[in-house]
């Protein structure tokens, strides 16, 4: 039987496992079809391309950062051509945005009395795509906060001083990149944004208008009833459904690779459009 996980992260962005460690865990968890979807980079897929036999069906993917109505939104691109000009452009542009955003967040946090954020977060990320989790990890190590989640609660999370969404490209732009790369665009964890249900529906309408094709109906750590609600929205807007844990690290036991609520039967699964080898 097939077991899909179409949303997870490696150390190429803010995940803890290397691409090969993630593949090993996926097989341990009996996943047959895995999409690695790092934030704004396909580096993991470039690394794994040279492996002869992974022992599972690896689907290319990316989780692109964008903004809609001044709110940061994540769009997953699945089954994309990682060598396409659109993906190369997206990576280059978003890499630049992430650098600029880090500088801006560091500046704002410096005004609050926290020094060394820029260099510290950069060192945490190394050559990988830098994000707020790297800032949070540095702040913990430097004794500025007790934990990563405290760093998000106080300084980095939605609506806090370090939540700088204004630099991201528009929702329409990232959907266009995914489509130009031959992929399927999916709204990641639609229930997790800081917005009312009616605003969420307006965001989904804009996404569909821009050429987006699917919603992530099932994600790890999702409130009860959310997948049924999202399945209804999929039916209304003729969108397909995707599933994925959004796994980042084995040290967050509340999100396990391959684990998410059951997909409602009436949904049209996004993998129907993927060619299986
Ligand atoms: P960024 O990609 O830099 O905007 O950072 C967003 C990432 O931070 C998400 O993909 C999560 O991995 C992580 N994150 C978001 N909120 C929290 C939180 N409250 N606690 C820990 N990690 C979080
Ligand atoms: Mn993340
Ligand atoms: Mn996300
Ligand atoms: Mn994610």
């Amino acid at each position: 039987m097939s077991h899909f996980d179409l949303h997870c992260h490696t150390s190429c962005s803010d995940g803890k496992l290397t691409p090969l460690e993630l593949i090993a865990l996926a097989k341990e968890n009996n996943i047959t079809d895995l999409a690695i979807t790092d934030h704004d980079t396909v580096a993991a897929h470039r690394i794994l391309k040279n492996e002869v036999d992974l022992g599972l069906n690896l689907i290319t993917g990316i989780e692109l950062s964008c903004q809609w109505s001044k709110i940061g939104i994540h769009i997953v691109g699945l089954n994309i051509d990682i060598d396409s000009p659109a993906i190369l452009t997206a990576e280059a542009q978003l890499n630049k945005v992430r650098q600029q955003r880090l500088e801006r967040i560091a500046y704002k946090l410096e005004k609050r009395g926290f020094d060394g954020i820029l260099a510290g977060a950069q060192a945490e990320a190394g050559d990988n795509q830098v994000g707020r989790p790297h800032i949070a990890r540095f702040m913990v190590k430097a004794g500025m906060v007790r934990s990563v989640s405290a760093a998000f609660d106080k300084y980095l999370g939605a609506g806090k001083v370090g939540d700088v969404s204004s630099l991201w490209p528009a929702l329409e732009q990232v959907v266009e990149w995914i489509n130009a790369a031959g992929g399927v665009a999916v709204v990641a964890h639609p229930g997790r944004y800081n917005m009312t249900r009616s605003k969420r529906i307006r965001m989904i309408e804009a996404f569909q208008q821009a050429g987006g094709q699917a919603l992530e109906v099932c994600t790890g750590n999702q409130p009860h009833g959310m997948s049924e609600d999202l399945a209804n929205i999929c039916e209304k807007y003729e969108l397909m459904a995707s599933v994925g844990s959004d796994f980042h690290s084995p040290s967050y036991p509340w999100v396990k690779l391959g684990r998410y609520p059951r997909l409602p039967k009436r949904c049209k699964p996004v993998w129907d459009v993927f060619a299986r080898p």
Side-chain angles (χ1 to χ4, degrees), residues 21-256:
E21 287 168 347
L22 185 75
I23 295 286
L25 179 62
K27 284 187 284 192
E28 224 172 88
N29 293 6
N30 297 312
I31 291 165
T32 56
D33 300 76
L34 181 77
I36 295 177
T37 55
D38 275 312
H39 296 286
D40 307 320
T41 175
V42 292
H45 291 284
R46 293 206 184 95
I47 293 166
L48 293 171
K49 218 163 79 171
N50 304 321
E51 298 291 322
V52 208
D53 184 17
L54 291 172
L56 52 67
N57 179 34
L58 181 66
I59 298 154
T60 53
I62 194 164
E63 182 176 16
L64 292 176
S65 310
C66 64
Q67 58 172 318
W68 176 82
S69 186
K70 297 187 176 151
I71 300 168
I73 304 285
H74 289 172
I75 304 295
V76 162
L78 296 173
N79 207 32
I80 47 172
D81 175 359
I82 61 167
D83 300 316
S84 59
I87 291 301
L88 299 180
T89 302
E91 277 185 306
Q93 204 157 308
L94 284 162
N95 190 271
K96 223 164 73 190
V97 170
R98 280 186 175 272
Q99 283 302 326
Q100 287 171 351
R101 186 182 68 140
L102 173 60
E103 284 166 28
R104 192 170 297 183
I105 296 171
Y107 175 76
K108 286 175 150 201
L109 288 175
E110 228 154 77
K111 288 207 288 195
R112 301 263 178 130
F114 298 115
D115 292 329
I117 298 281
L118 183 60
Q122 202 66 79
E124 279 295 319
D127 291 334
N128 304 307
Q129 200 64 290
V130 67
R132 283 176 286 171
H134 302 104
I135 303 174
R137 288 176 210 166
F138 167 72
M139 291 180 86
V140 174
K141 279 187 189 164
M144 296 165 176
V145 285
R146 263 185 305 104
S147 64
V148 164
S149 62
F152 272 90
D153 287 350
K154 289 185 183 158
Y155 304 110
L156 302 169
K160 299 291 190 267
V161 58
D163 176 23
V164 176
S165 302
S166 58
L167 299 168
W168 296 128
L171 172 73
E172 290 77 8
Q173 170 69 83
V174 304
V175 171
E176 190 186 312
W177 279 327
I178 293 166
N179 284 335
V184 175
V186 184
V187 177
H189 41 70
R192 213 187 290 160
Y193 304 109
N194 197 11
M195 50 174 86
T196 60
R197 185 175 185 276
S198 58
K199 190 152 190 185
R200 177 156 60 237
I201 288 174
R202 273 190 281 133
M203 184 267 288
I204 291 168
E205 275 173 358
F207 166 78
Q208 193 237 29
Q209 286 289 305
Q213 300 107 317
L215 301 185
E216 199 169 76
V217 169
C218 302
T219 181
N221 216 12
Q222 171 170 272
H224 186 73
M226 181 58 80
S227 46
E228 289 298 327
D229 188 33
L230 292 171
N232 291 339
I233 298 173
C234 279
E235 275 192 315
K236 180 160 179 213
Y237 292 96
E238 297 185 351
L239 293 164
M240 294 182 286
S242 186
V243 298
S245 60
D246 201 6
F247 172 85
H248 280 76
S249 163
S251 48
Y252 307 150
W254 56 93
V255 175
K256 280 187 92 173

